[in-house]
């Protein structure tokens, strides 16, 4: 798969819900859930100082039981990077700003005893955000359940631990020097809704650019720029 420069993306991507910014598209995403919104407020309020690093993990088995279109998971354009990765990368862009360049590695898709995986089942990458923060990204669907924090953000004055952005309204915890981990009051409860508000279509477009560029970087073993001028999304409004 070849990364498509942002200035060459089509006006719309069939079946994806993506459209050019000129279309005025707004989308619902899990960045609208309680966890990301609470963490965004903490970052904006300076509770962890200047963000310098983050990590995001998915370590879980792929779909083991058939569900509608489950066979698409293991085809090109599927796998953990494109299935769950958009939730994590969207959250990271909200918290740390747009991604300026990436590098990655991805082992060749593995052939199983019962099916052949054509998509990468593991992608490990580094994302450099426009503000200088670095994110370590691990997307793995070839493992059993892990216990790593789904997202952590580290700053000059403290750290944040977030629940999984793809389906959890668990607590956001803050740790500062000399203290202990403590839950933060929620910014706004989403009531289990994955789209309790609106996010700009430009965010979805940028996240797609990041994922495509990660795969190109993994193939070539190099750092690659994420094309296009990007701005950090505004905080989500209900």
């Amino acid at each position: 798969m070849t990364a498509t420069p942002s200035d060459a993306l089509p006006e719309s991507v069939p079946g994806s819900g993506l459209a050019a910014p000129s279309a005025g598209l707004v989308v619902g995403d899990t960045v609208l859930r309680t966890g990301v919104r609470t963490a965004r407020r903490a970052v904006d309020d300076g509770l962890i100082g200047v963000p310098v690093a983050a990590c995001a993990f998915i370590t879980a088995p792929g779909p083991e039981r058939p569900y509608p279109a489950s066979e698409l998971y293991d085809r090109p354009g599927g796998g953990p990077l494109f299935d769950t990765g958009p939730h994590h990368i969207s959250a990271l862009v909200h918290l740390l700003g747009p991604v300026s360049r990436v590098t990655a590695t991805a082992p060749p898709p593995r052939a199983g005893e019962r099916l052949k995986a054509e998509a990468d089942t593991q992608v490990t990458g580094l994302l450099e955000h426009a503000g200088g923060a670095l994110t370590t990204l691990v997307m793995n669907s070839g493992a059993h359940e892990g216990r790593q924090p789904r997202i952590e953000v580290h700053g000059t004055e403290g750290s944040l631990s977030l629940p999984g952005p793809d389906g959890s309204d668990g607590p956001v915890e803050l740790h500062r020097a000399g203290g202990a981990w403590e839950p933060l009051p929620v910014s706004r409860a989403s009531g289990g809704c994955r789209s309790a508000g609106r996010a700009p279509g430009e965010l979805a477009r940028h996240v797609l650019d990041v994922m495509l560029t990660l795969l190109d970087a993994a193939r070539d073993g190099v750092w690659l720029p994420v094309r296009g001028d990007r701005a950090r999304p505004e905080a989500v409004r209900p």
Side-chain angles (χ1 to χ4, degrees), residues 165-204:
D166 59 327
S168 173
D169 272 340
V172 175
E173 295 182 300
L174 170 68
H175 186 281
R176 286 187 281 196
W181 287 101
E182 56 181 289
L184 292 176
V186 299
S187 175
R188 179 183 175 89
S190 64
C193 178
R194 296 176 71 131
S195 303
R198 300 187 300 173
E202 292 91 339
L203 172 62

Side-chain angles (χ1 to χ4, degrees), residues 62-119:
E64 296 179 349
R65 283 183 255 175
Y67 61 89
S70 61
E71 71 278 3
L72 300 178
Y73 184 89
D74 292 305
R75 294 182 183 176
L81 178 63
F82 286 90
D83 180 61
T84 310
H87 307 308
H88 289 67
I89 297 172
S90 295
L92 292 163
V93 171
H94 258 274
L95 297 173
L96 302 175
V99 179
S100 57
R101 63 174 187 155
V102 300
T103 190
T105 183
R110 298 184 307 177
E113 295 180 1
R114 300 179 61 184
L115 58 86
K116 181 179 180 181
E118 300 176 49

Side-chain angles (χ1 to χ4, degrees), residues 115-128:
L115 58 86
K116 181 179 180 181
E118 300 176 49
D120 294 302
T121 58
Q122 175 170 318
V123 176
T124 300
L126 283 176
L127 282 57
E128 183 178 296

Side-chain angles (χ1 to χ4, degrees), residues 3-187:
T4 303
S6 59
D7 56 6
L9 283 172
E11 289 298 304
S12 63
V13 181
S16 69
L18 299 181
S22 60
L25 180 71
V26 292
V27 296
D29 188 33
T30 52
V31 297
L32 308 170
R33 295 183 71 93
T34 298
V36 177
R37 294 167 74 169
T38 300
R40 171 67 185 260
R41 185 179 68 180
V43 171
D44 289 350
D45 289 346
L47 295 187
I48 64 169
V50 178
V52 296
C55 57
F57 293 96
I58 280 293
T59 50
E64 296 179 349
R65 283 183 255 175
Y67 61 89
S70 61
E71 71 278 3
L72 300 178
Y73 184 89
D74 292 305
R75 294 182 183 176
L81 178 63
F82 286 90
D83 180 61
T84 310
H87 307 308
H88 289 67
I89 297 172
S90 295
L92 292 163
V93 171
H94 258 274
L95 297 173
L96 302 175
V99 179
S100 57
R101 63 174 187 155
V102 300
T103 190
T105 183
R110 298 184 307 177
E113 295 180 1
R114 300 179 61 184
L115 58 86
K116 181 179 180 181
E118 300 176 49
D120 294 302
T121 58
Q122 175 170 318
V123 176
T124 300
L126 283 176
L127 282 57
E128 183 178 296
H129 297 264
L134 289 175
T135 290
T136 301
L137 185 74
V138 176
M139 302 279 108
N140 187 331
S141 65
H144 296 288
E145 290 289 345
R147 299 188 66 182
Q148 296 100 328
R150 296 311 186 203
I151 294 181
E152 280 191 354
V153 180
H154 306 285
T156 55
E157 305 296 331
S159 298
L160 291 170
S161 181
L162 285 67
D166 59 327
S168 173
D169 272 340
V172 175
E173 295 182 300
L174 170 68
H175 186 281
R176 286 187 281 196
W181 287 101
E182 56 181 289
L184 292 176
V186 299
S187 175

